[in-house]
Amino acid sequence: MPAVPPKPAAEPLDPLRWGPTFPEAARGTLDDAQLRTNLRRATRTIRDKRLAVTAELPDWEALRDAGAAIKADAMDRLPELLEQLEANVTAHGGTVHWARDAAEANRIVTGLVRAAGAREVVKVKSMATQEIGLNEHLEAEGITAHETDLAELIVQLAGDRPSHILVPAIHRNRDEIRDVFRSQMPGVPDRLTNEPAALAMAAREHLRALFLRADVAISGANLAIAETGTVAVVESEGNGRMCLTLPRTLVTVMGIEKVLPTFRDLEVFLQLLPRSSTGERMNPYTTTWTGVTPGDGPQEFHLVLLDNGRTRALADDVGRQALHCIRCSACLNVCPVYERTGGHAYGSVYPGPIGAILTPQLLGLDDADAATASLPFASTLCGACYDACPVKIDIPTALVHLRDRALHDGGPRRPTAAGAAMGAAAVVLSSGRRFRWALRGAALAGRLLGGRRVRRLPWPGSLWTASRDLPALPARSFRGAWAARVARVSRATRDTPAAPDGRDPRSGERSPGTDGRGRP
Amino acid sequence: MRIALFTTCLVDGLFPHAAAATVRLLERLGHEVVVPPGQACCGQMHVNSGYPGQAEPVVRNHVRAFWPVVEGEWDAVVAPSGSCVGSTRHQQARVARQAGDERLAVAAERVAARTYELSELLVDVLGVTDVGAWFPHTVTYHPTCHSLRLLRVGERPTRLLEQVGGLRLVDLPDADQCCGFGGTFALKNSDTSAAMVADKADAVLASGADVVTAGDWSCLMNIDGALSRRGAGTRAVHLAEILAATRDDPWRPPGTRRATARSAS
Amino acid sequence: MSAREDVLGAVRAALGRGPRGGRADAVGAGDVPRGYRVATDTASGSVAACDLLEHRLLDYRARVTRCRPEEVAATVVRELAGAASVAVPHGLPEAWADAVRATGATVRDDVPGRPLAAAELDRTDAVVTGCRVAVADTGTIVLDAGPGQGRRVLTLVPDRHVCVVRSDQVVGSVPEAVRLLEAHPERPLTWISGPSATSDIELVRVEGVHGPRDLRVVLVGP
């Protein structure tokens, strides 16, 4: 039976940020031809589906505007909304817990599972529980956590880390998944084929027994309504319904930013999320529940409200919008960087453009390690993410802002070559005269090269020339040529004195025939 | 109209033929072109690299150099770059505010409100799509990310290209995909950047064009560099250079004229 | 300090408020532009709404049968063909349950005080329910555990779900449905759009993983 090595190979210490810097990690994934083929096919498929179903709605932009405004309003009123949510969940028979960080959330959940007398739990796919490393923590405490989402199951059985928010096993193709099931899933038929339908059925058989015997389920939440205490999970497979319905006890771990003010807000997010996420008009199943319903579903409900760095992000009024994220992953699917590197290069449960602005903020940038500080730079600022985002998070602006913070937060840093170069460039580029002198230097180099293209430079220029030629340097800058033309015209018309090469800005600036009025 | 040319630092130093072509084109259309000598750079490189503090004097210089457009001395400012125009509209005021200079921020907004990317100026302000150009080549158009998503220039460039005599416009596969330049991204994440530009070069070659054009020499520099490395015959030509070319004064590769001074006249 | 006080304090501090700082306008909706459509071109309860709902459901590969009000019981029986055992929720119209019983299938009644166990449902082939509302635009059926809809587990464990939707329950849009449902937000809601599905393997859609693999909608009138 073929062994399937985990991806990435090393077990992370912190699911929120592990591994080397983005460029280093990307080097590995860029070389993985299989990974790139899987990613390319998958992101393109889902991108096209999303475009088709969002184009269908004439009011798509109005929905995005509403979604963005609801989220901004919720952040503004977060203390009141959280208290209101707590009061309404409690009034309907649920219990609300608060967790400052991952360790506290893990302790709370472990205590609840123990109190229920359970040694195993079934889990609905949840970013919040991944972020805090709940499965690993439970395992260390002697409790087995079974992931029940098909992709999460694949990732768990393979010993992988998820590489996508929505489709965590997007980095695996059907052959790899078949091999993972054959080697890791008990009782799987020997003749299991690589057909997605056959693989899904194998997972169904494997999981149904677990659902029927589990006493405790753990979920995340897509949103929670302050005004009613209602919590919602949006899903496709029905594993969520199984977990949210069958066990006696339900524990939901939710980031504090997921709260929405009113029940009516559902009508916005139940349109934005499925279309942006799986590219469907509606996902197969959405479940909402409010506390405990006697005789229907879990008779014990605990809601764990998690901070874990969210208040740190909230304090940044540019970066705060990362908290508006509804985890649809549209930004991943349109990101040209993600498409090449895959999710593992971001070294976090939150990959892609949103991860590049969320992870550094959750962790803080005051004394960020190089790996975390490299994330905001993992983008060309092409803006495709901003266009795709259903709640209009301006990711490019946040990225640029966080680059500044990554370089400058926490006081003066050790001087770097890049910083010195930027300082020198600022001096040159803040004066037309200084820039002119700099251009003369470039033109001199151009004349020396005589129109030849440079194909190899020493570091750091080699970072460019490793894959691209430099342009042929011109023998004269534009302003050099322009000044010469102005001088020539002046000589010909004799209405202004001949100017040496652009020395006098008044005479150097106009095309022939201007009246020569000076700049105020 | 009297139009001030915002050359942009990259074009001024490395691609002077694009600025010269912009002048030639606008003068041919009967406009007067002014080149404010105090200009240098919009500040985008500093902002995007995480040094907005250092961008502040750069922005100040830019606003000072182009302030006459607010006072009515010129009718508009034009740049042969979507990216730099995008920076004036979306970054400069923010840089000024971050530096605590509200006056500069407002001034930057006022200058930016009169600053146009070339295709915007031609189609929206000057109201022309047929500029009388002649360019007998098969051309594909790469809609650079900032023109596409920051400025939303939309169909303007292709509408201009469709009117060019002798020109055959062919579709670029995956046109809306970034070429991987991204300023310092090309250096900081050079491997990813290389993978992206390799795909873009593939797409350009698959289009069957012998010229790839765009409104920005930064992206074109990236694509052209990759094409040149492969020894491909397809080359990059800026939109301004195509629109400036005529039957009487056809496009020639830069450097084949005796001096760039001639191309400015 | 408790975690609760710490987290709420940190939120207030991040928003630049004092430790107990509140907002006078905190209760009630903020200033949110709601320029999106509530009603669509498809009028609720119309033939067009039913046609659109059918189209959407077929797109999800659900089965749809249209019938007149007097044909419901017979249609339900036809859609249950082959099911040896059928679960029936509390409050389902007697005539439908009787018709099923008459076919010789085992009918398992879920009644208050004598709920069906999950293991029993796992051995049950099908379930018949009504619904609270259906959304034409998205092909969605919403159950709110009201009469004839059953506890959530009923429509989850058996492999075939036959759901009866009356034309007057079909609304055009998601907002119209939410505005009906907001009368009872505390009821557990199940929004169903086609049979269970996954796209987790190479984004290939596969119907039927955990929930009912077979969704059959009986669309009644007009």
Side-chain angles (χ1 to χ4, degrees):
Chain A
M1 206 165 281
V4 183
K7 284 182 182 180
E11 183 76 10
L13 292 175
D14 180 358
L16 200 45
R17 189 64 187 97
W18 39 270
T21 64
F22 184 85
E24 288 173 80
R27 210 162 292 140
T29 52
L30 283 164
D31 287 342
D32 187 338
Q34 179 68 64
L35 175 84
R36 286 187 59 190
T37 309
N38 295 355
L39 277 172
R40 191 181 162 88
R41 186 184 305 138
T43 54
R44 275 159 198 261
T45 305
I46 202 162
R47 203 151 68 204
D48 293 344
K49 282 176 69 182
R50 184 184 66 82
L51 285 175
V53 296
T54 55
E56 226 175 65
L57 291 186
D59 55 345
W60 182 247
E61 288 307 313
L63 283 165
R64 288 178 79 208
D65 287 336
I70 291 167
K71 279 295 190 179
D73 174 48
M75 293 305 120
D76 264 0
R77 299 192 283 140
L78 198 51
E80 293 77 19
L81 294 176
L82 289 171
E83 287 175 318
Q84 199 185 6
L85 175 68
E86 179 187 40
N88 284 318
V89 169
T90 308
H92 287 92
T95 309
V96 175
H97 309 259
W98 300 73
R100 281 165 279 221
D101 54 25
E104 189 165 28
N106 286 331
R107 265 201 313 279
I108 292 168
V109 176
T110 307
L112 292 169
V113 176
R114 288 242 168 83
R119 298 296 302 273
E120 65 173 4
V121 300
V122 286
K123 283 192 68 207
V124 190
K125 174 177 158 40
S126 139
M127 296 309 296
T129 61
Q130 268 175 31
E131 170 191 327
I132 62 176
L134 180 63
N135 291 4
E136 295 76 8
H137 179 85
L138 289 174
E139 196 180 313
E141 298 284 330
I143 298 165
T144 308
H146 301 284
E147 289 291 352
T148 64
D149 170 77
L150 180 54
E152 292 290 358
L153 176 70
I154 294 163
V155 166
Q156 190 177 38
L157 291 176
D160 283 2
R161 302 301 302 176
S163 66
H164 190 281
I165 290 174
L166 173 74
V167 207
I170 197 169
H171 57 283
R172 296 287 192 184
N173 65 15
R174 59 182 75 190
D175 295 327
E176 296 172 301
I177 293 166
R178 191 241 347 252
D179 293 345
V180 168
F181 279 16
R182 274 193 187 164
S183 59
Q184 301 297 328
M185 190 185 278
V188 75
D190 244 10
R191 294 206 315 256
L192 182 66
T193 68
N194 67 358
E195 276 305 305
L199 296 167
M201 285 317 112
R204 176 188 170 99
E205 295 307 317
H206 169 69
L207 290 169
R208 180 146 291 216
L210 294 177
F211 288 134
L212 289 171
R213 72 170 188 237
D215 288 323
V216 178
I218 298 173
S219 83
N222 289 93
L223 52 90
I225 309 291
E227 117 184 302
T228 59
T230 305
V231 184
V233 163
V234 174
E235 52 135 357
S236 294
E237 293 169 12
N239 66 305
R241 291 181 69 194
M242 291 281 176
C243 293
L244 300 170
T245 311
L246 292 175
R248 206 175 55 240
T249 301
L250 171 62
V251 180
T252 298
V253 181
M254 179 187 106
I256 52 173
E257 82 282 16
K258 293 281 175 197
V259 66
L260 296 176
T262 68
F263 191 82
R264 189 161 285 193
D265 297 331
L266 275 177
E267 70 195 24
V268 175
F269 291 94
L270 288 184
Q271 295 192 76
L272 289 175
L273 182 54
R275 290 185 197 252
S276 301
S277 170
T278 52
E280 294 165 301
R281 296 185 182 102
M282 189 63 90
N283 52 293
Y285 300 125
T286 295
T287 300
T288 76
W289 69 98
T290 305
V292 169
T293 308
D296 188 344
Q299 295 302 292
E300 200 179 317
F301 171 53
H302 297 271
L303 179 63
V304 182
L305 296 174
L306 175 73
D307 181 344
N308 205 35
R310 283 160 178 76
T311 50
R312 200 178 281 137
L314 192 64
D316 181 329
D317 55 11
V318 178
R320 173 187 300 175
Q321 51 182 324
L323 297 177
H324 299 183
C325 173
I326 58 173
R327 311 282 187 263
C328 72
S329 71
C331 64
L332 277 62
N333 301 329
V334 299
C335 178
V337 174
Y338 178 91
E339 185 184 322
R340 268 69 178 199
T341 66
H344 291 145
Y346 297 80
S348 170
V349 296
Y350 300 115
I354 187 64
I357 63 170
L358 186 59
T359 308
Q361 293 197 88
L362 293 177
L363 289 166
L365 282 160
D366 278 349
D367 50 358
D369 58 293
T372 303
S374 71
L375 289 175
F377 294 90
S379 165
T380 62
L381 307 176
C382 81
C385 49
Y386 186 16
D387 275 6
C389 180
V391 292
K392 291 193 167 175
I393 299 172
D394 184 353
I395 295 178
T397 296
L399 282 166
V400 165
H401 169 75
L402 291 169
R403 289 176 182 185
D404 181 19
R405 286 190 52 195
L407 292 169
H408 301 107
D409 268 18
R413 305 280 176 89
R414 207 163 42 82
T416 61
M422 283 294 163
V427 170
V428 170
L429 295 175
S430 55
S431 147
R433 185 176 307 162
R434 286 194 290 272
F435 184 49
R436 193 158 63 240
W437 282 103
L439 289 182
R440 283 187 188 167
L444 180 63
R447 283 196 288 277
L448 289 173
L449 285 166
R452 286 191 304 278
R453 299 183 76 139
V454 175
R455 297 174 64 91
R456 186 179 290 173
L457 281 174
W459 193 90
S462 59
L463 295 170
W464 179 274
T465 55
S467 54
R468 288 156 289 222
D469 293 346
L470 280 177
L473 290 177
R476 182 136 68 159
S477 70
F478 174 72
R479 63 184 62 200
W482 184 258
R485 160 176 150 164
V486 170
R488 214 166 44 242
V489 171
S490 299
R491 269 197 306 278
T493 59
R494 291 178 196 285
D495 62 356
T496 44
D501 192 3
R503 286 281 293 281
D504 179 359
R506 297 291 190 273
S507 63
E509 70 179 17
R510 289 169 202 295
S511 56
T514 62
D515 62 10
R517 262 190 302 135
R519 198 165 57 83
Chain B
M1 266 193 188
R2 183 178 291 172
I3 298 159
L5 177 66
F6 165 26
T7 320
T8 80
C9 58
L10 186 83
V11 164
D12 201 337
L14 295 181
F15 306 101
H17 43 281
T22 307
V23 173
R24 232 171 24 247
L25 168 65
L26 293 174
E27 288 182 347
R28 188 176 80 221
L29 293 172
H31 303 283
E32 179 191 327
V33 179
V34 175
V35 183
Q39 64 174 304
C41 171
C42 61
Q44 178 175 208
M45 176 180 73
H46 286 92
V47 176
N48 288 356
S49 307
Y51 296 89
Q54 298 193 352
E56 190 260 349
V58 181
V59 169
R60 187 177 300 284
N61 179 72
H62 178 89
V63 173
R64 194 185 291 137
F66 287 97
W67 181 252
V69 77
V70 175
E71 304 203 322
E73 188 168 336
W74 315 316
D75 299 300
V77 177
V78 69
S81 162
S83 194
C84 303
V85 172
S87 177
T88 68
R89 286 189 201 160
H90 298 279
Q91 293 186 331
Q92 289 192 339
R94 181 185 293 272
V95 165
R97 291 209 168 88
Q98 202 176 330
D101 192 337
E102 182 62 24
R103 264 190 65 191
L104 178 61
V106 172
E109 281 165 353
R110 295 181 69 186
V111 172
R114 291 160 180 79
T115 302
Y116 302 90
E117 181 271 344
L118 180 62
S119 72
E120 289 178 333
L121 180 87
L122 293 169
V123 177
D124 300 348
V125 182
L126 306 181
V128 288
T129 49
D130 185 350
V131 296
W134 184 74
F135 190 79
H137 297 275
T138 303
V139 175
T140 195
Y141 172 71
H142 168 60
T144 63
C145 300
H146 290 175
S147 294
L148 186 68
R149 303 194 185 90
L150 213 50
L151 301 186
R152 311 266 176 208
V153 302
E155 307 284 301
R156 292 176 187 84
T158 43
R159 282 172 61 197
L160 289 159
L161 287 168
E162 280 160 3
Q163 301 294 323
V164 173
L167 187 148
R168 193 167 79 90
L169 189 61
V170 292
D171 283 340
L172 178 64
D174 293 324
D176 64 349
Q177 289 285 298
C178 177
C179 72
F181 175 62
T184 48
F185 178 86
L187 305 180
K188 273 190 176 272
N189 286 281
S190 55
D191 298 309
T192 309
S193 177
M196 290 168 71
V197 76
D199 289 346
K200 184 57 75 179
D202 286 344
V204 168
L205 296 178
S207 76
D210 48 79
V211 165
V212 55
T213 190
D216 251 296
W217 251 116
S218 51
C219 313
L220 283 178
M221 173 173 75
N222 188 40
I223 299 167
D224 194 50
L227 290 169
S228 165
R229 175 60 52 93
R230 293 189 190 188
T234 306
R235 61 181 305 157
V237 177
H238 193 282
L239 179 66
E241 298 165 53
I242 292 178
L243 299 180
T246 59
R247 272 182 199 279
D248 296 338
D249 186 9
W251 179 84
R252 268 167 261 168
T256 56
R257 287 163 187 244
R258 200 156 39 78
T260 44
R262 240 191 70 78
S263 64
S265 54
Chain C
M1 278 234 278
S2 72
R4 181 182 191 278
E5 296 308 307
D6 270 357
V7 172
L8 284 171
V11 173
R12 290 197 180 93
L15 294 172
R17 304 197 215 156
R20 301 236 159 262
R23 270 182 45 166
D25 59 341
V27 182
D31 193 14
V32 172
R34 293 188 191 261
Y36 52 83
R37 300 172 307 162
V38 175
T40 60
D41 298 339
T42 315
S44 296
S46 64
V47 176
C50 292
D51 290 347
L52 183 58
L53 176 68
E54 176 177 359
H55 175 264
R56 299 299 199 227
L57 283 164
L58 292 174
D59 201 32
Y60 296 136
R61 289 174 232 179
R63 222 171 110 134
V64 181
T65 310
R66 310 273 289 254
C67 71
R68 292 194 303 271
E70 63 275 17
E71 298 166 338
V72 176
T75 310
V76 165
V77 165
R78 260 205 315 282
E79 293 305 310
L80 285 169
S85 52
V86 178
V88 168
H90 184 62
L92 193 80
E94 277 303 322
W96 305 356
D98 288 343
V100 175
R101 232 173 249 118
T103 66
T106 306
V107 170
R108 298 191 174 127
D109 290 299
D110 187 69
V111 288
R114 269 187 300 113
L116 295 170
E120 205 173 345
L121 287 166
D122 193 37
R123 294 189 299 269
T124 304
D125 296 327
V127 61
V128 191
T129 71
C131 73
R132 173 70 185 90
V133 63
V135 184
D137 191 31
T138 58
T140 304
I141 294 164
V142 188
L143 275 56
D144 75 351
Q149 298 169 50
R151 298 180 301 127
R152 282 174 284 169
V153 68
L154 261 70
T155 50
L156 175 62
V157 179
D159 210 18
R160 189 188 308 175
H161 178 194
V162 176
C163 186
V164 180
V165 179
R166 294 194 317 266
S167 61
D168 64 342
Q169 292 176 313
V170 182
V171 299
S173 73
V174 170
E176 287 173 299
V178 168
R179 283 159 200 224
L180 278 176
L181 295 164
E182 72 183 351
H184 289 290
E186 76 289 352
R187 291 188 185 166
L189 300 180
T190 305
W191 296 55
I192 299 169
S193 308
S196 159
T198 184
S199 301
D200 278 349
I201 301 167
E202 295 183 9
L203 275 309
V204 175
R205 187 177 161 106
V206 175
E207 273 79 26
V209 193
H210 302 299
R213 285 180 283 194
D214 187 2
L215 174 67
R216 302 184 178 194
V217 176
V218 176
L219 191 45
V220 189

